[in-house]
């Protein structure tokens, strides 16, 4: 998986790359000669949009269940005929669909936000001559949240050979994660 030809080493970082894109290239493997040794099975190359010579601005917002909030904003700003800049921001947040409860009467613990991703990408395009251009691009992503969205097996059984109905509350009983 690559962003603008740069290898993305962590799978979690792939999620924050899909905003303000020009195209997505899916190449069958092996692609080691052109893209390096991590592409034996092929690659997905996400190409982000370049700055261009006219003003452009857009925003996209999504609201959903589990307090889902997604926002993408883009501004393309030409300075003159040979210099233009582009800024894009993406925010992706969602609460957890699992609740943490305790048997012994203690208060439930809030394990939200499940996802709290924020990304920004800045680009500058400098056209020196008709044949010589320079594209400078930088991005920053911050991925936070409590991604514990599964119910642990020990919520169902203490051990494989004991009957959970005979266990009294408070005796070795672990917290419970309940699907909403």
């Amino acid at each position: 998986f690559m962003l603008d030809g740069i290898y993305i080493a962590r799978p979690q970082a792939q999620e924050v790359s899909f905003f303000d894109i020009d195209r997505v290239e899916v190449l069958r493997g092996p692609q080691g000669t052109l893209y390096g040794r991590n592409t034996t099975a092929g690659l997905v190359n996400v190409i982000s949009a370049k700055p261009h010579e006219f003003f452009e601005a857009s925003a996209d917002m999504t609201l959903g269940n589990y307090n889902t909030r997604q926002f993408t904003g883009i501004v393309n700003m030409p300075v003159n005929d040979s210099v233009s800049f582009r800024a894009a921001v993406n925010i992706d947040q969602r609460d957890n669909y699992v609740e943490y409860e305790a048997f012994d009467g203690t208060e439930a613990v809030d394990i939200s936000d499940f996802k709290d991703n924020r990304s920004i990408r800045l680009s500058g395009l400098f056209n020196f001559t008709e044949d010589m251009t320079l594209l400078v691009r930088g991005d920053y992503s911050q991925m936070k949240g409590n991604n514990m969205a599964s119910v642990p097996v020990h919520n169902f059984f203490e051990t494989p050979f004991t009957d959970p109905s005979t266990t009294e509350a408070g005796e070795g009983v672990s917290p419970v994660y309940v699907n909403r």
Side-chain angles (χ1 to χ4, degrees):
F1 191 91
M2 297 191 173
L3 175 63
D4 297 319
I6 306 297
Y7 177 63
I8 304 295
R10 304 217 186 298
Q12 298 86 352
Q14 297 169 5
E15 185 177 356
V16 296
S17 301
F18 281 99
F19 69 100
D20 190 31
I21 58 174
D22 185 33
R23 67 184 185 275
V24 177
E25 299 173 343
V26 180
L27 305 173
R28 293 189 318 178
Q31 293 289 331
T33 303
L34 297 174
Y35 292 99
R37 65 181 178 164
N38 291 318
T39 59
T40 55
L43 71 108
V44 175
N45 192 11
V46 177
I47 308 295
S48 57
K50 291 181 184 178
H52 44 76
E53 64 278 353
F54 55 91
F55 178 79
E56 175 186 22
S58 68
D60 179 30
M61 185 172 177
T62 303
L63 299 173
N65 59 350
Y66 298 109
N67 208 16
T68 299
R69 298 148 334 260
Q70 296 174 337
F71 172 79
T72 301
I74 301 161
V75 175
N76 189 84
M77 186 73 120
V79 177
N80 55 35
D81 290 341
S82 61
V83 177
S84 55
F85 295 100
R86 186 175 187 93
V89 65
N90 180 267
I91 299 170
D92 188 6
Q93 300 171 325
R94 180 174 66 82
D95 287 348
N96 209 324
Y97 60 88
V98 174
E99 292 178 354
Y100 176 87
E101 297 178 3
F103 282 123
D104 58 1
T106 59
E107 207 170 302
V109 176
D110 184 18
I111 56 175
S112 293
D113 292 333
F114 172 75
K115 184 192 307 186
D116 188 7
N117 298 339
R118 298 163 192 265
S119 300
I120 186 167
R121 184 179 301 131
L122 302 172
S123 305
L125 183 64
F126 305 92
N127 295 316
F128 298 114
T129 65
E130 209 173 281
D131 297 326
M132 188 170 72
T133 62
L134 174 66
L135 174 63
V136 179
R137 189 175 286 147
D139 60 48
Y140 176 78
S141 296
Q142 180 182 52
M143 299 179 340
K144 290 186 174 181
N146 187 348
N147 59 3
M148 196 167 67
S150 62
V151 179
V153 174
H154 67 266
N155 282 355
F156 301 107
F157 304 104
E158 286 293 317
T159 65
F161 304 107
T162 59
D163 182 8
S165 64
T166 62
T167 307
E168 293 183 29
E171 291 181 11
V173 177
S174 59
V176 175
Y177 296 88
V178 179
N179 235 353
R180 286 195 229 174

